[in-house]
Amino acid sequence: MATRLTEKELMRVKTLLATQESLYTVSPSLFDPIVDAAEVVDFAKGAVIMAPGSRIEHVYILTDGLVGATYSSGSKTIMHGLAEPGTLLLHGGSFFGRGPSYVQWEAVVGSRTLRVADAVVRDYLHANHEFAIWMYGMAENNLRFAEERTFILSDSAEKRYLKLERDLPRRVFRELSSRVVARYLGITEQSLARIKRNLLQNHPSD
C-alpha cells in the first residue's frame, strides 16, 4: 500500500543518488524536484515492475529491497544485474527512444520504490545542466558496470557467489531465492546447490 517516506528516508535515498549512482557527486538537494513529484510504490517479492515488450512510462528510484533485471535468450532466462537502494531504474529505450523494453525488472525481495512519470525526469534533464551532467555520469557508471560484470563472469561460479554474498546486506542476501542467485551467476540451481554444499563442508563454522 502506498505511503510516505520519512524525511530521514528521503535524505538517505537522495544521498545515495548524489554520491553513488553517478561518477559525478552532487548535492542531495538536486533531486528534490523529482522526489517531490514521486509517489511511493511497494512491490512484493517476485512482482514484475516492468515487463518486456511494453514501453515503460515511469522512472523508479529504489529506496529499499533489491530489483533484478532479466532477459530471455532462447529458453534460458539470464539475470543481467541487481539494483540496490539508491538506484535510478530507467530503461534507456523507453526513456530516450520511447520504444518497448527488452528486459524485465523483478522485485527479487520485497521492495519499495519512488515512482515518477518519465516526462518529469526528461523535462528536468533538459532544464537543469547539473542534473544532465549527473545523468551522463550515471550512464558512464552503467557502462563501467557492464565491463566489470563481463570480467567477473570469467571467475569461477563459487567466487562469484562469494562476492555476491559479501557485497549484499545479509538481510537481503538471505531472502534471495536459489532461482534468482543461479540466474545472476549464470548457472543451474543444481550447480548452485553443489557450491553451497562445498562451502558448507569447507567452512562449517561460517
Side-chain angles (χ1 to χ4, degrees), residues 71 78-82 141-157 159-160 163 184-186:
Y71 64 92
I78 299 170
M79 183 159 285
H80 172 67
L82 290 168
N141 219 13
N142 287 338
L143 287 173
R144 187 175 66 175
F145 164 79
E147 291 178 349
E148 289 177 352
R149 178 155 171 73
T150 300
F151 176 76
I152 289 171
L153 285 174
S154 64
D155 279 339
S156 68
K159 286 183 178 179
R160 284 181 276 138
K163 183 178 188 304
Y184 184 73
L185 298 178

Side-chain angles (χ1 to χ4, degrees), residues 8 33 83 136 161 166 186 189 196 198:
K8 183 177 181 180
Y136 177 79
Y161 176 84
R166 183 183 69 243
E189 291 186 51
K196 289 181 176 180
N198 290 338

Side-chain angles (χ1 to χ4, degrees), residues 30-196:
L30 179 67
F31 304 98
D32 285 346
I34 295 175
V35 169
D36 290 344
E39 62 176 335
V40 177
V41 180
D42 292 329
F43 293 94
K45 181 178 180 179
V48 175
I49 300 173
M50 180 183 71
S54 59
R55 178 179 178 267
I56 184 169
E57 299 181 349
H58 294 92
V59 171
Y60 294 84
I61 300 170
L62 185 61
T63 67
D64 188 49
L66 196 68
V67 170
T70 63
Y71 64 92
S72 296
S73 178
S75 61
K76 188 176 183 181
T77 300
I78 299 170
M79 183 159 285
H80 172 67
L82 290 168
E84 299 181 60
T87 299
L88 182 70
L89 299 172
L90 177 152
H91 183 265
S94 288
F95 184 81
F96 296 108
R98 307 196 183 188
S101 66
Y102 53 85
V103 298
Q104 174 169 295
W105 294 342
E106 174 187 332
V108 295
V109 300
S111 300
R112 172 162 289 181
T113 68
L114 290 173
R115 183 177 70 185
V116 60
D118 62 0
V120 171
V121 180
R122 193 181 297 107
D123 290 347
Y124 193 42
L125 175 63
H126 293 159
N128 189 293
H129 179 70
E130 186 179 18
F131 183 66
I133 294 297
W134 180 87
M135 286 277 284
Y136 177 79
M138 185 187 73
E140 286 185 313
N141 219 13
N142 287 338
L143 287 173
R144 187 175 66 175
F145 164 79
E147 291 178 349
E148 289 177 352
R149 178 155 171 73
T150 300
F151 176 76
I152 289 171
L153 285 174
S154 64
D155 279 339
S156 68
E158 183 172 308
K159 286 183 178 179
R160 284 181 276 138
Y161 176 84
L162 291 171
K163 183 178 188 304
L164 184 67
E165 182 181 27
R166 183 183 69 243
D167 291 349
L168 290 179
R170 184 171 294 274
R171 173 187 66 84
V172 172
F173 183 79
R174 285 177 172 173
E175 286 189 51
L176 292 181
S177 68
S178 295
R179 175 181 63 88
V180 168
V181 175
R183 284 180 175 178
Y184 184 73
L185 298 178
I187 60 177
T188 65
E189 291 186 51
Q190 291 78 10
S191 295
L192 176 61
R194 285 195 295 271
I195 289 173
K196 289 181 176 180

